[in-house]
Amino acid sequence: MSYYEIQGGRPLEGTLAIHGAKNSVLPILAACLLVPGQCILHNCPDLSDVSATLDILRLLGCRVDRSGDTVSVDAGTLSRSGIPERLMREMRSSVIFLGALLARLGAAELSYPGGCELGSRPIDLHLSALRTLGAEIKEEQGALCCRDEGMRGRELCLSIPSVGATENIMLAACGCPGLTTIVGAAREPEIVDLQNFLQEMGAAVTGAGTSTVAIRGGLPLHPAEHRVMGDRIAAATYLCAAAAAGGEIEVTGVEPGYLTAVLACLEEAGCTLHAGPETIVLASSAPLKGISPVRTAPYPGFPTDCQAILMAALAGGEGATLFVENIFDSRYRHVDELRRMGADIQVAGQAAMVSGVGRLHAAAVRSTDLRGGAALVVAGLAAEGVTRVSELRHIRRGYQALDENLRTLGAEIRLLP
Ligand code: EPZ
């Protein structure tokens, strides 16, 4: 089982171009199913979640090619509407194929994506919205059999601004004649990127980035070429790493305005930040200070995907910070691993009180999930001694070349078999 070996205490210096966004490219790859013909995506990150998605597209009958960070998907040969359970379980977000398959084929058979390391991951909002549009969805022994029974545009209201449900409805609505309006939509930047791609395909989608998204469906669509936006969560990860380890880094290829909440926390913790068009520079020279409570929230609030990463940086600083995780019901699994490194973190329900201990010490720790694993790397970069991080499969889901990128910034990190 491979692991990272990290010699802590090396300050980070240099510039890093951030790879394409996992949480943007996944729904955009599903959107390629909407049209017969070849779509071309640039800045497509090399991640295991992306590989799993490409495998699903191939299994459905699409022609998929990859050359560097450019991926082409030709859904002209789409021949199946069913996704086997083993692939559905491999990646929870494969539920995003539901809307696109209904729009293109009028049918979809897939299993429940199942929970994951963050706790239960229900899809009730996805299913109720698609039923409101006119889909018939039968649930039998964990499998979903979906049929277009006269789907038409409707007004839909989401009780939670679910990112995935918003995206699924946008894709399904492209195949529904009439106007679909999503009230209470999620506002994440990745949804704007999906809208941009759909517009490039000829779809009439507007409002992404606000809480009301409108789709006029049933229009003829054509293949498109698109550059995927930069991964704001990956950018935040490297910034938190530099904040914790010290030094000065620049990340490029990400819109600073998409990270306002995170940058505010890092500045309050004592970092110096400068932002320019698609660049963020962070300098950190002193132990991080405790900051005002960090409450995760839907965009533009503090992103839940950065909770573990910021916590790891602050755990080795000074002062106390209260975290409140409001999005997922089990997103503190990294806490026990940080405690192995000397972190002082008290968890009570959705709240976690982090008391900075001045500096963490090295330990052998295990990734528990994607962002929890990245958090352990952040902690190891600043800790005293040599930290080993295992269970790297979680990290590979969402970070391209994490150890290589950190080495280019001066970190002493090795991947051992
Ligand atoms: C997306 O997940 C992201 N994944 C997550 O990133 C991210 O943490 C999350 O949005 C929140 O920003 C991708 O985009 C592939 P939600 P998603 O639906 O769509 C509840 C990462 O680390 N809910 O916005 O699954 C749900 O349980 C991953 O990159 C329902 O109750 O998240 C959660 O509590 C982790 N019923 C809340 O809504 C539903 O039908 C927000 O979930 C759907 C969701």
Side-chain angles (χ1 to χ4, degrees):
M1 178 173 63
S2 58
Y3 59 91
Y4 287 145
E5 188 178 79
I6 305 167
Q7 170 64 57
R10 301 283 187 277
L12 303 187
E13 306 285 344
T15 296
L16 183 67
I18 298 298
H19 60 68
K22 169 178 83 77
N23 292 349
S24 175
V25 73
L26 296 182
I28 285 176
L29 284 167
C32 293
L33 290 174
L34 293 174
V35 290
Q38 188 182 73
C39 291
I40 297 175
L41 304 178
H42 302 290
N43 200 30
C44 189
D46 181 12
L47 307 170
S48 56
D49 269 9
V50 172
S51 302
T53 300
L54 298 182
D55 288 345
I56 290 173
L57 290 170
R58 290 187 184 99
L59 177 129
L60 293 171
C62 301
R63 277 204 56 235
V64 176
D65 294 300
R66 172 157 212 156
S67 170
D69 74 356
T70 296
V71 165
S72 64
V73 177
D74 186 340
T77 50
L78 177 63
S79 57
R80 292 180 55 173
S81 59
I83 301 175
E85 181 171 356
R86 66 177 175 81
L87 287 180
M88 284 296 296
R89 285 192 175 279
E90 194 172 314
M91 191 183 62
R92 204 208 88 74
S93 49
S94 33
V95 69
I96 194 65
F97 283 101
L98 183 49
L101 285 169
L102 279 172
R104 175 76 187 283
L105 298 178
E109 301 84 32
L110 38 84
S111 70
Y112 264 96
C116 74
E117 307 83 4
L118 309 182
S120 64
R121 299 290 292 274
I123 59 169
D124 55 309
L125 298 177
H126 298 241
L127 301 184
S128 58
L130 295 174
R131 284 184 170 120
T132 303
L133 290 175
E136 180 193 74
I137 302 177
K138 291 179 182 162
E139 303 172 54
E140 292 148 4
Q141 288 108 27
L144 297 168
C145 184
C146 312
R147 290 289 178 274
D148 176 346
E149 295 297 334
M151 292 176 75
R152 296 198 54 78
R154 293 277 193 293
E155 179 167 289
L156 302 165
C157 187
L158 285 177
S159 56
I160 299 173
S162 158
V163 173
T166 300
E167 294 164 343
N168 235 336
I169 297 165
M170 288 166 72
L171 296 175
C174 285
C176 295
L179 179 65
T180 296
T181 305
I182 309 171
V183 178
R187 299 167 53 189
E188 271 68 5
E190 291 76 20
I191 294 171
V192 178
D193 207 28
L194 175 62
Q195 173 178 277
N196 292 341
F197 180 60
L198 291 171
Q199 289 174 345
E200 290 153 8
M201 295 169 89
V205 186
T206 55
T210 75
S211 55
T212 303
V213 177
I215 307 100
R216 183 164 296 285
L219 304 181
L221 305 179
H222 52 77
E225 188 164 357
H226 182 76
R227 178 175 177 77
V228 176
M229 65 180 279
D231 193 315
R232 61 192 173 101
I233 307 301
T237 305
Y238 292 107
L239 293 171
C240 286
E248 178 170 333
I249 69 166
E250 176 186 31
V251 293
T252 63
V254 173
E255 176 52 51
Y258 292 160
L259 278 174
T260 307
V262 179
L263 301 183
C265 291
L266 290 170
E267 196 158 44
E268 187 183 351
C271 298
T272 306
L273 286 150
H274 296 289
E278 300 241 318
T279 69
I280 303 167
V281 176
L282 177 142
S284 171
S285 56
L288 297 178
K289 296 177 286 192
I291 63 177
S292 40
V294 179
R295 296 179 176 85
T296 66
Y299 190 86
F302 187 92
T304 174
D305 295 347
C306 291
Q307 176 254 106
I309 299 157
L310 180 64
M311 182 184 288
L314 294 176
E318 298 169 346
T321 302
L322 173 67
F323 283 79
V324 184
E325 172 55 55
N326 294 307
I327 304 296
F328 290 108
D329 53 21
S330 175
R331 202 164 197 177
Y332 286 137
R333 297 178 68 224
H334 52 280
V335 169
D336 280 343
E337 299 302 309
L338 288 173
R339 285 177 177 146
R340 288 172 180 272
M341 301 176 72
D344 177 357
I345 304 171
Q346 303 304 317
V347 174
Q350 297 301 95
M353 175 57 81
V354 179
S355 302
V357 293
R359 191 174 185 191
L360 299 178
H361 58 70
V365 290
R366 292 184 179 183
S367 301
T368 52
D369 55 271
L370 167 55
R371 307 302 176 184
L376 298 175
V377 173
V378 168
L381 291 167
E384 176 80 36
V386 178
T387 295
R388 289 187 169 191
V389 181
S390 59
E391 301 294 332
L392 300 184
R393 70 185 189 287
H394 294 294
I395 296 177
R396 290 196 186 100
R397 287 188 44 223
Y399 292 92
Q400 175 179 305
L402 180 61
D403 53 314
E404 289 169 42
N405 289 339
L406 287 169
R407 278 195 296 274
T408 61
L409 295 175
E412 202 170 321
I413 177 172
R414 296 191 300 162
L415 173 63
L416 297 173

